[in-house]
Amino acid sequence: MNWIDNFVRPKIRSFLSNKRETPENLWVKDPESGEMVFYRDLEANQWVVPNSGYHMKIKPADRLATFFDEGKYDLVPVQAVPVDPLKFRDQKRYTDRLKESRAKTGYDDSVIVATGKLYDRHTTVAVQDFDFIGGSLGMAAGQGIITGLETAVTRKTPFVLFVASGGARMQEGIFSLMQMPRTTVAVLRLREAGLPFFVVFTDPTTGGVTASYAMLGDVHLAEPGARIGFAGARIIEQTIREKLPKGFQRSEYLHEHGMVDMVVHRHNLRSTIGSLAGILTRAEPSADLTGTAPALPAVSLRDAAIAAEGDDGDLAAPSAAHAE
């Protein structure tokens, strides 16, 4: 009997399981329409569902590669900060959560800073990774934002921030909340240097991040359908005891009510920011941006955004920036 259990059955299992392995997650379900999309098609389309235009989460490496010229960029090291200053523990130790997130994402924390060229102009970019503990704002993330802002000041470049966060990091308590004034001071230094600050809201952007640096940009752009707010919609409804409007806290709704300057499709973010950065820094027009039309002596921000998006319609209509 032991011979059957120890030898025969494992051999049978290995024979039955010795099939050609099929990679997992070949197909991804569109949360909006339920359509199944081949993941290579999504990857080639910058993780935007081709038919519905739904903007899925995109990894920082993919974001940076599609944003900078020729996909070339250099990561900027972020100064180390104390780990687990409160010795916090809930269902897991905080140090264990950090190890898991670092192994999962390949980054030390939720903010990645990089420098490169955008239409041949030096640009500093920071990306908040939602896969790292929900993109939460802790000491390391706050230091990453400050590093990005200081790098932009030192190199005299525009600063672009792609935001995605669930808010302040609970495990760091008051140390997390202190990043709000710290980053605000760094934004003021960038402003004193006369350099533009572009904030791109992605899904979701909530909590303490929207109460600090995310709402201090010179130009606020948002991807279609992104959730943007401080508290959750359900909490707000329970507090004020009223039904919220349809689409509340979505980028299109906030655009209509003046909190977001533009709702821009992911494919057009690079050209839109490139145009605006050139205008705000009074740089020479880039041949890549002006090759299809003669340069004008004076261009408004609205006209520049429309030209960059390739849309002659009304910019106020959210559908103009959507893939549909």
Side-chain angles (χ1 to χ4, degrees):
M1 194 66 179
N2 290 336
W3 177 76
I4 294 176
D5 291 337
N6 297 333
F7 182 78
V8 176
R9 286 182 178 175
K11 282 289 185 181
I12 294 175
R13 290 195 190 100
S14 64
F15 175 76
L16 293 175
S17 62
N18 191 21
K19 299 178 181 179
R20 184 174 60 86
E21 294 184 359
T22 303
E24 296 181 357
N25 301 325
L26 281 176
W27 296 88
V28 181
K29 185 177 181 180
D30 177 9
E32 190 170 90
S33 65
E35 176 190 7
M36 300 300 292
V37 186
F38 190 50
Y39 86 100
R40 289 194 182 275
D41 294 337
L42 274 176
E43 189 176 27
N45 204 42
Q46 298 183 35
W47 295 96
V48 178
V49 179
N51 291 332
S52 69
Y54 182 85
H55 284 52
M56 305 190 76
K57 292 181 177 62
I58 181 172
K59 294 185 181 299
D62 294 338
R63 172 84 71 180
L64 294 171
T66 56
F67 188 76
F68 285 115
D69 292 350
E70 300 177 358
K72 297 179 180 178
Y73 59 89
D74 297 315
L75 294 178
V76 178
V78 177
Q79 181 181 349
V81 299
V83 178
D84 195 13
L86 302 179
K87 307 300 179 185
F88 193 92
R89 183 187 182 107
D90 44 37
Q91 294 178 342
K92 294 181 181 179
R93 293 189 302 172
Y94 178 42
T95 52
D96 293 337
R97 292 189 183 279
L98 289 174
K99 290 177 182 177
E100 291 174 1
S101 295
R102 287 169 180 169
K104 176 183 177 181
T105 63
Y107 298 108
D108 291 335
D109 213 273
S110 61
V111 174
I112 299 93
V113 183
T115 57
K117 288 187 176 182
L118 178 64
Y119 293 103
D120 291 326
R121 302 187 187 107
H122 291 283
T123 307
T124 304
V125 175
V127 180
Q128 226 163 338
D129 187 4
F130 193 79
D131 286 339
F132 197 105
I133 315 182
S136 51
L137 176 62
M139 288 190 295
Q143 186 61 45
I145 299 296
I146 294 170
T147 298
L149 290 162
E150 290 178 344
T151 301
V153 172
T154 302
R155 302 192 180 193
K156 302 186 185 309
T157 70
F159 182 61
V160 182
L161 174 62
F162 292 92
V163 191
S165 177
R169 188 169 296 176
M170 174 187 68
Q171 292 88 346
E172 295 186 15
I174 189 64
F175 295 104
S176 172
L177 298 178
M178 285 304 297
Q179 306 314 307
M180 296 166 62
R182 290 185 70 225
T183 53
T184 300
V185 171
V187 171
L188 293 177
R189 290 175 180 170
L190 182 76
R191 188 164 297 165
E192 289 173 357
L195 298 168
F197 176 27
F198 302 97
V199 177
V200 181
F201 295 102
T202 67
D203 184 46
T205 302
T206 60
V209 170
T210 55
S212 55
Y213 55 86
M215 287 295 179
L216 298 178
D218 296 307
V219 181
H220 291 162
L221 304 95
E223 291 187 338
R227 285 169 292 175
I228 307 166
F230 182 73
R234 184 176 59 183
I235 299 298
I236 297 174
E237 285 186 338
Q238 292 175 351
T239 302
I240 66 176
R241 298 185 180 182
E242 291 184 12
K243 188 69 176 176
L244 296 174
K246 184 179 180 180
F248 182 77
Q249 291 187 330
R250 294 290 176 173
S251 54
E252 291 81 4
Y253 182 91
L254 296 180
H255 175 233
E256 292 174 1
H257 291 78
M259 289 190 67
V260 171
D261 297 310
M262 305 178 194
V263 178
V264 184
H265 192 282
R266 186 174 292 168
H267 293 173
N268 299 322
L269 281 172
R270 171 178 153 83
S271 57
T272 301
I273 295 175
S275 296
L276 295 176
I279 294 170
L280 295 180
T281 58
R282 299 180 181 180
E284 291 294 327
S286 171
D288 292 336
L289 287 171
T290 60
T292 57
L296 299 177
V299 183
S300 67
L301 292 181
R302 181 181 184 278
D303 294 336
I306 292 175
E309 289 188 347
D311 183 7
D312 296 330
D314 185 5
L315 187 65
S319 60
H322 203 278
E324 295 179 349

